[in-house]
Amino acid sequence: MPRLKKMLFTACILISLNSCKEKKDSSKSITQEIESATYTETYRPQFHFSPPRYWMNDPNGMVYHKGIYHLFYQFYPEDIKWGPMHWGHAISKDLMHWEHKPIALYPDKNGYIFSGSVVLDIGNTSGLGSIEDPPLVAIFTYHDPEGEKSGEKDFQTQGIAYSLDNGDTWTPYKENPVIENVGVKDFRDPKVFWDDHNQAWVMSLVAGDHLQLWGSNNLKSWTKLSEFGKKRGAHGGVWECPDLFKLKVEGTDEEKWVLLISINPGAPNGGSGTQYFVGDFDGERFTTDQTAVKWIDWGTDNYAGVTYHTLPQNYYGDTYDNNPGQDRIFIGWMSNWAYAQETPTKMWRSAMTIPRKLSLYKEDDTYILYSYPVASFDSLRVETTAKEFQIVGNGSERIASENLNQAEIRFTTASKDFALTFMNDKGEETVLTMNSDQRLFLLDRIVSGVTDFDESFANKIQQMPITNLPEDAYEVRILIDRSSIEVFINKGQYVMTAQLFPTKPYTSLEFENASAIPITIENLNINPLKRIW
């Protein structure tokens, strides 16, 4: 959600309960629109989630329950620009193929429905369900537009709603809000988890320039526990969309806590981005020795990402084949507030990143968060025969491919000095460069296609520090959809995500050796990817 100086839309200010009922009754027409969507429009992603119509931003309420992955999201069902926020809803069994559902949460007397999370209340601590039928509980921010217009700072509060039918319908809690605001302007985006060690719910909540942690025994009554971050991390803009979770350090028995914080503006390549901290949590406070600012993705178009709520190990046993277990699965909003409302789509606006598994590694004395496509993504791949070739010093190799805009490009190399250029016959190109002298990976979309909708979209080459790649061969994996590119280097050690809007598909891929010595490209596959709709 943006840090708004004024509201762009006022038609839904303080919607009454009766008008909300009328909107819910109209969900049949929304469902009909969903069912008739063809998903073949110009720039429509073919293997990323996007709404059938209208505006979408932050992923919300990501939870797995009874074999179903739920994805809620910020949604305005009347325009392709930001407006009064609802929670859109979709479900999946494999995180790839999605079924659109009717709107889950509507604005009510307390305000618009901003970002938040969903948990399965296994012990029915809330009393909103039963032990036999535990409720899904959504925790979200209410945004009161009238309060914002009045100049007061307490226009954002926290509310809850619950579902007893695995997310099909939702009932707002009658005593909302459950956390009042005491004068903090940007007080939002609750992300909740069950702290098994202390037998309590913990909420991460942002408050302008820092994180607040809150505790509860029942999801309804909350007590502030601590604060973090006023003098830590990047502070170029407001903090948003926190997420605090525990990960085991790969290859060890050590466990650390990871905190995600999105920030807008202030990202390394401009506009919106998501930083992370690695530290410890004692049930009340998050602490870290980390001094460097770390980013989960260095590209311009991965923002407000959070992870799926995890359940106790073996909670479902072997009942469901698609059980994520303890995997920490991340999805981000594939856009940037610098230009999100101007991108050149007509019927809908924006998409989500490919779901990614997060893993924590220790390199020397620092912890690094890796991000890599979930295993179920492989089901979309149409396998091709691998190629291997050598490129002479300062030479190049060009490969023709029918449609590189719906493909996975995957290879290994030991070279740290090369460029990849995706191009079409209109002179449009996207260039990826590995530069060992500067220890940088570069993404250049300056002449990638349509770029003139906003001056900040393609005004510079995006840069990512590459400081600790293996000396021997490593993997480069690139996913290109019709309007995006995602780059994963060394199994997700370094990641960049960016939107692209070429007017025709890229049909040539050129490898260029930027060094004077020969380089080898091994196990090159250019795999077409199946559409998910």
Side-chain angles (χ1 to χ4, degrees):
M1 67 201 74
R3 180 178 52 176
L4 297 173
K5 294 181 180 178
K6 60 180 180 179
M7 301 307 299
L8 299 176
F9 298 87
T10 59
C12 289
I13 292 175
L14 294 177
I15 297 173
S16 69
L17 290 174
N18 286 337
S19 64
C20 281
K21 182 179 184 300
E22 291 173 3
K23 284 202 168 188
K24 290 179 183 178
D25 291 342
S26 70
S27 63
K28 289 183 179 180
S29 62
I30 293 172
T31 303
Q32 289 170 355
E33 286 188 37
I34 288 171
E35 291 173 348
S36 65
T38 62
Y39 272 62
T40 57
E41 305 92 349
T42 302
Y43 301 130
R44 172 71 82 169
Q46 295 300 289
F47 57 89
H48 289 81
F49 179 83
S50 60
R53 292 195 66 181
Y54 305 122
W55 169 269
M56 178 185 76
N57 55 285
D58 305 5
N60 295 154
M62 290 154 52
V63 65
Y64 173 87
H65 183 37
K66 294 183 178 178
I68 299 296
Y69 290 92
H70 293 269
L71 172 62
F72 301 89
Y73 53 91
Q74 293 285 276
F75 184 54
Y76 180 46
E78 295 184 21
D79 202 334
I80 61 169
K81 289 198 173 186
W82 191 95
M85 286 288 94
H86 303 54
W87 270 26
H89 186 201
I91 60 173
S92 175
K93 292 184 178 180
D94 63 359
L95 289 168
M96 295 293 117
H97 301 85
W98 296 93
E99 175 188 343
H100 295 293
K101 304 286 283 185
I103 292 171
L105 296 175
Y106 290 79
D108 62 30
K109 64 182 181 180
N110 292 302
Y112 305 158
I113 311 296
F114 273 19
S115 286
S117 52
V118 170
V119 297
L120 178 63
D121 184 9
I122 296 171
N124 191 35
T125 63
S126 63
L128 298 172
S130 64
I131 294 294
E132 297 74 24
D133 187 17
L136 288 174
V137 180
I139 309 96
F140 51 86
T141 294
Y142 275 121
H143 180 94
D144 174 8
E146 283 292 284
E148 183 182 36
K149 287 171 63 177
S150 71
E152 299 296 328
K153 292 185 177 181
D154 60 353
F155 53 84
Q156 291 182 341
T157 57
Q158 317 313 315
I160 65 174
Y162 62 96
S163 173
L164 299 177
D165 55 11
N166 201 2
D168 282 347
T169 59
W170 292 85
T171 302
Y173 180 52
K174 62 182 179 180
E175 295 183 31
N176 277 334
V178 296
I179 299 180
E180 299 282 358
N181 191 319
V182 292
V184 180
K185 182 180 179 182
D186 297 301
F187 183 65
R188 56 177 181 254
D189 309 345
K191 184 65 160 61
V192 173
F193 69 92
W194 177 255
D195 178 5
D196 189 59
H197 180 73
N198 293 288
Q199 293 292 292
W201 296 103
V202 176
M203 175 192 294
S204 302
L205 189 65
V206 286
D209 64 350
H210 66 283
L211 172 79
Q212 293 184 357
L213 294 176
W214 292 68
S216 175
N217 293 320
N218 59 14
L219 295 168
K220 297 182 290 189
S221 300
W222 292 88
T223 302
K224 184 178 173 183
L225 302 174
S226 63
E227 295 184 350
F228 169 82
K230 287 186 176 181
K231 296 182 180 180
R232 294 276 188 173
H235 283 277
V238 68
W239 280 24
E240 297 188 302
C241 303
D243 193 357
L244 179 63
F245 51 88
K246 185 166 58 176
L247 279 180
K248 181 171 285 190
V249 179
E250 295 293 319
T252 76
D253 292 327
E254 183 182 15
E255 292 183 324
K256 299 295 285 186
W257 287 81
V258 177
L259 171 65
L260 305 183
I261 295 286
S262 288
I263 180 172
N264 176 56
N269 283 294
S272 314
T274 301
Q275 60 184 317
Y276 70 90
F277 304 85
V278 180
D280 298 293
F281 175 66
D282 64 4
E284 291 190 3
R285 296 182 179 276
F286 174 79
T287 57
T288 181
D289 295 328
Q290 178 180 316
T291 56
V293 178
K294 298 180 180 181
W295 302 95
I296 196 169
D297 189 313
W298 283 79
T300 50
D301 293 296
N302 181 357
Y303 188 61
V306 289
T307 63
Y308 270 88
H309 173 67
T310 58
L311 294 168
Q313 197 155 6
N314 299 319
Y315 179 73
Y316 291 114
D318 58 1
T319 304
Y320 302 105
D321 292 338
N322 64 353
N323 191 333
Q326 300 303 295
D327 286 356
R328 183 59 61 167
I329 298 170
F330 169 99
I331 294 177
W333 176 47
M334 200 157 54
S335 197
N336 189 308
W337 279 116
Y339 44 75
Q341 303 197 80
E342 308 301 331
T343 52
T345 58
K346 305 293 185 183
M347 182 176 175
W348 88 103
R349 189 162 271 144
S350 75
M352 298 299 183
T353 67
I354 283 295
R356 305 168 182 186
K357 179 183 175 180
L358 302 184
S359 303
L360 192 62
Y361 288 81
K362 191 172 185 179
E363 300 174 0
D364 298 325
D365 292 325
T366 188
Y367 297 94
I368 305 295
L369 192 63
Y370 282 42
S371 172
Y372 198 62
V374 294
S376 57
F377 176 82
D378 294 348
S379 66
L380 305 182
R381 183 188 302 130
V382 178
E383 294 285 356
T384 57
T385 302
K387 300 178 182 180
E388 180 175 325
F389 54 89
Q390 192 174 78
I391 306 175
V392 299
N394 299 310
S396 63
E397 179 85 14
R398 183 174 294 191
I399 299 172
S401 183
E402 182 177 345
N403 184 359
L404 289 168
N405 285 64
Q406 192 175 324
E408 174 195 55
I409 298 86
R410 196 170 184 174
F411 62 92
T412 57
T413 185
S415 173
K416 310 299 189 296
D417 288 288
F418 63 86
L420 303 178
T421 303
F422 296 85
M423 61 188 79
N424 61 23
D425 60 12
K426 297 191 68 175
E428 298 167 347
E429 61 182 36
T430 296
V431 185
L432 308 177
T433 304
M434 184 74 75
N435 185 314
S436 67
D437 288 341
Q438 297 181 341
R439 302 180 81 184
L440 289 175
F441 184 83
L442 310 174
L443 190 157
D444 180 353
R445 64 179 180 188
I446 293 175
V447 293
S448 57
V450 178
T451 62
D452 60 357
F453 51 87
D454 187 278
E455 63 180 11
S456 68
F457 180 75
N459 63 350
K460 65 179 181 180
I461 296 174
Q462 299 176 38
Q463 301 184 0
M464 174 169 59
I466 300 288
T467 57
N468 199 26
L469 273 177
E471 291 186 6
D472 54 3
Y474 60 94
E475 180 194 70
V476 177
R477 187 178 185 186
I478 303 163
L479 309 180
I480 304 188
D481 210 339
R482 290 188 178 180
S483 53
S484 67
I485 183 168
E486 294 166 286
V487 183
F488 303 89
I489 299 173
N490 194 31
K491 300 289 186 178
Q493 180 183 8
Y494 300 103
V495 181
M496 293 190 88
T497 302
Q499 293 182 88
L500 308 169
F501 299 98
T503 58
K504 292 182 66 177
Y506 297 135
T507 53
S508 293
L509 173 59
E510 183 175 79
F511 288 78
E512 181 180 357
N513 182 357
S515 71
I517 61 174
I519 66 172
T520 301
I521 304 298
E522 300 178 289
N523 302 313
L524 171 67
N525 287 93
I526 301 177
N527 299 314
L529 295 172
K530 304 170 190 174
R531 70 192 303 265
I532 63 173
W533 305 106

